[in-house]
Amino acid sequence: DAKTTQPPSMDCAEGRAANLPCNHSTISGNEYVYWYRQIHSQGPQYIIHGLKNNETNEMASLIITEDRKSSTLILPHATLRDTAVYYCIVRVAGYGGSQGNLIFGKGTKLSVKP
Amino acid sequence: DAGITQSPRHKVTETGTPVTLRCHQTENHRYMYWYRQDPGHGLRLIHYSYGVKDTDKGEVSDGYSVSRSKTEDFLLTLESATSSQTSVYFCAISVDPTYEQYFGPGTRLTVT
């Protein structure tokens, strides 16, 4: 079972920041938070991951609370092409195979509206 | 884009026929994975490979076999397709050292 809890759906206006929350209250010390998204009919797309520090890349920013029990993915200027299902996943980093298995929950369906 | 292609992209086959799906990567990553995605179940791991001729089972491996004779190719075979194997199949690779996974475009398989 997924170890994360996400709202089932969110709306965001185009050009505004989209803030997607995730709860992972049982996260272990060696587990990272990963975010993926899946645009309709496409393969999941890796967005970002982090351990405890905030992370930023060209796609998004990841804010992890100090107690690591929750995080927020921020898309700074959402576009219509960001409409997708966003998955928050907790897993141990540094392992492939079954130890590194991604367990996808139901995710958050983000709808970006004009 | 991690240089992953899948073939075929769409296939319709009859119950009882063998089917092989191919995943090809261009960047020599050690780990490769096969997932299936069904409504209400999300993505589920079928098999994975950690090197040439090294494979292991995932969560839903029954009815599937895999082979990896070259680093760049990971094949998924349904020996005798059943209607319950109608699904979208995704291949993925994972990248050292933190092993985030990158996915291919998917193969939509329909077993009639």
Side-chain angles (χ1 to χ4, degrees):
Chain A
D1 291 341
K3 298 172 66 173
T4 62
T5 304
Q6 300 176 251
S9 64
M10 293 182 63
D11 290 341
C12 178
E14 188 177 20
R16 303 297 294 270
N19 297 280
L20 292 96
C22 180
N23 286 320
H24 32 79
S25 58
T26 61
I27 191 170
S28 301
N30 63 346
E31 289 181 316
Y32 285 64
V33 180
Y34 286 75
W35 283 85
Y36 283 77
R37 72 180 182 184
Q38 188 170 24
I39 298 169
H40 182 61
S41 298
Q42 298 182 20
Q45 179 186 22
Y46 166 78
I47 301 173
I48 198 168
H49 74 279
L51 182 63
K52 55 183 178 181
N53 297 320
N54 298 338
E55 302 287 345
T56 296
N57 63 19
E58 66 279 3
M59 289 183 67
S61 295
L62 174 60
I63 309 298
I64 302 174
T65 58
E66 191 167 344
D67 63 7
R68 303 208 323 122
K69 293 185 177 180
S70 65
S71 60
T72 301
L73 179 75
I74 301 171
L75 307 179
H77 304 286
T79 72
L80 299 179
R81 287 176 294 181
D82 292 321
T83 292
V85 178
Y86 287 76
Y87 298 97
C88 171
I89 299 168
V90 166
R91 70 186 276 262
V92 177
Y95 293 95
S98 59
Q99 285 181 288
N101 186 23
L102 293 174
I103 299 175
F104 287 79
K106 297 187 185 305
T108 296
K109 181 173 174 55
L110 175 68
S111 298
V112 181
K113 300 181 184 299
Chain B
D1 183 0
I4 306 167
T5 57
Q6 293 184 233
S7 58
R9 295 293 314 279
H10 301 272
K11 186 170 182 67
V12 180
T13 192
E14 293 184 349
T15 297
T17 60
V19 177
T20 296
L21 309 183
R22 179 181 183 240
C23 177
H24 179 79
Q25 58 144 332
T26 59
E27 299 182 1
N28 291 322
H29 296 293
R30 187 159 66 108
Y31 281 92
M32 299 183 75
Y33 308 79
W34 277 107
Y35 290 86
R36 61 178 288 176
Q37 185 172 35
D38 306 289
H41 288 282
L43 275 88
R44 293 180 290 175
L45 181 66
I46 306 172
H47 282 279
Y48 67 94
S49 169
Y50 47 98
V52 172
K53 298 185 179 170
D54 292 322
T55 65
D56 206 348
K57 297 178 180 180
E59 176 188 358
V60 290
S61 59
D62 288 348
Y64 301 94
S65 63
V66 290
S67 65
R68 190 160 178 210
S69 58
K70 298 184 291 184
T71 300
E72 59 266 35
D73 288 326
F74 192 32
L75 304 181
L76 177 71
T77 297
L78 292 65
E79 301 289 348
S80 178
T82 67
S83 58
S84 65
Q85 294 175 313
T86 292
S87 188
V88 181
Y89 291 86
F90 289 103
C91 173
I93 58 92
S94 59
V95 177
D96 293 359
T98 53
Y99 295 95
E100 64 267 23
Q101 293 185 18
Y102 294 86
F103 288 79
T107 294
R108 184 172 296 276
L109 176 67
T110 302
V111 184
T112 60

